[in-house]
Amino acid sequence: LAKTTQPISMDSYEGQEVNITCSHNNIATNDYITWYQQFPSQGPRFIIQGYKTKVTNEVASLFIPADRKSSTLSLPRVSLSDTAVYYCLVASNTGGFKTIFGAGTRLFVKA
Amino acid sequence: GAVVSQHPSRVICKSGTSVKIECRSLDFQATTMFWYRQFPKQSLMLMATSNEGSKATYEQGVEKDKFLINHASLTLSTLTVTSAHPEDSSFYICSARYREETQYFGPGTRLLVL
């Protein structure tokens, strides 16, 4: 299983773009990268998923370099409601589908 | 989108009793579901992998006789905390595997053991 490393916390202001980078040096060939958002006392919410290059949806973009050893979640124009913990997960099919959560990044958006 | 539900959302029980938590995939079938546990200010910890029609696979350090998992159908997995004690109080979250590479999470169940 690929271990993930993210910054413990980040601060931002409303309206700014926030980029959270995750390193996963031991990612395997068939692994996908998925980002989740979690609010207190709620289950993680799927944000975006990718395998390589760039993926964009209505809420975020995900940038994955060619070596896939890291990924960056980009949140455009954050608002106060984006204050949450963000987790980067690497989905491994080796020995059966399994994901292990890292510590996550606590994003605090200020007015 | 893929929706996973959990029931109950919160439960309070007396020490020594058993509590059952249900996890359902509402709009898709899931051959694999997962159970996590989360303590305050901490990340999610994988407890076990639940496979439809077979025994669950528990992570190291998780007591299989204490945390009974049953995955009787493609849309339902249950976690039973047997003889619950105050130290079992936690936030329990399930997820269901959707397609090959994605999992969707339930809203979580808050368990308080008095």
Side-chain angles (χ1 to χ4, degrees):
Chain A
L1 288 175
K3 180 181 177 182
T4 60
T5 303
Q6 304 172 231
I8 294 297
S9 65
M10 294 181 68
D11 287 347
S12 182
Y13 288 93
E14 280 191 294
Q16 288 188 333
E17 177 185 75
V18 170
N19 297 309
I20 306 174
T21 297
C22 175
S23 66
H24 26 79
N25 292 319
N26 297 323
I27 191 169
T29 302
N30 296 327
D31 290 346
Y32 279 74
I33 301 153
T34 312
W35 284 80
Y36 293 89
Q37 175 193 55
Q38 187 183 30
F39 297 112
S41 296
Q42 294 186 25
R45 183 178 75 98
F46 176 93
I47 301 174
I48 198 167
Q49 182 180 72
Y51 182 79
K52 62 180 179 180
T53 62
K54 177 183 176 182
V55 180
T56 298
N57 62 21
E58 63 276 9
V59 298
S61 294
L62 177 60
F63 299 91
I64 305 169
D67 66 5
R68 304 200 327 122
K69 292 183 182 298
S70 67
S71 60
T72 299
L73 173 72
S74 181
L75 304 172
R77 298 180 299 282
V78 295
S79 63
L80 296 176
S81 62
D82 292 318
T83 294
V85 179
Y86 292 82
Y87 292 99
C88 156
L89 265 70
V90 173
S92 173
N93 259 323
T94 303
F97 182 88
K98 194 172 186 177
T99 55
I100 301 296
F101 277 80
T105 297
R106 292 184 177 273
L107 173 65
F108 186 68
V109 180
K110 296 178 277 190
Chain B
V3 179
V4 177
S5 70
Q6 280 185 244
H7 177 80
S9 58
R10 58 178 62 189
V11 57
I12 301 174
C13 69
K14 293 182 179 180
S15 184
T17 61
S18 294
V19 174
K20 180 184 284 188
I21 302 170
E22 293 186 349
C23 177
R24 294 181 185 272
S25 56
L26 298 185
D27 50 1
F28 66 101
Q29 294 182 331
T31 56
T32 305
M33 291 184 173
F34 305 89
W35 287 95
Y36 295 83
R37 183 173 179 177
Q38 186 175 34
F39 292 106
K41 302 293 186 182
Q42 295 186 22
S43 184
L44 283 76
M45 182 189 76
L46 179 64
M47 299 175 65
T49 301
S50 169
N51 296 295
E52 187 267 338
S54 64
K55 291 183 179 180
T57 303
Y58 291 82
E59 294 300 303
Q60 190 172 8
V62 178
E63 300 177 60
K64 62 179 182 181
D65 294 331
K66 180 166 186 63
F67 299 99
L68 301 179
I69 292 172
N70 183 276
H71 193 156
S73 78
L74 289 172
T75 59
L76 173 64
S77 176
T78 61
L79 168 68
T80 301
V81 183
T82 63
S83 186
H85 291 286
E87 58 265 30
D88 298 322
S89 297
S90 189
F91 191 51
Y92 292 86
I93 306 170
C94 74
S95 71
R97 186 178 179 184
Y98 177 75
R99 297 177 181 163
E100 289 296 313
E101 66 283 344
T102 309
Q103 58 179 323
Y104 286 90
F105 290 84
T109 296
R110 176 76 58 190
L111 170 63
L112 177 61
V113 184
L114 302 177

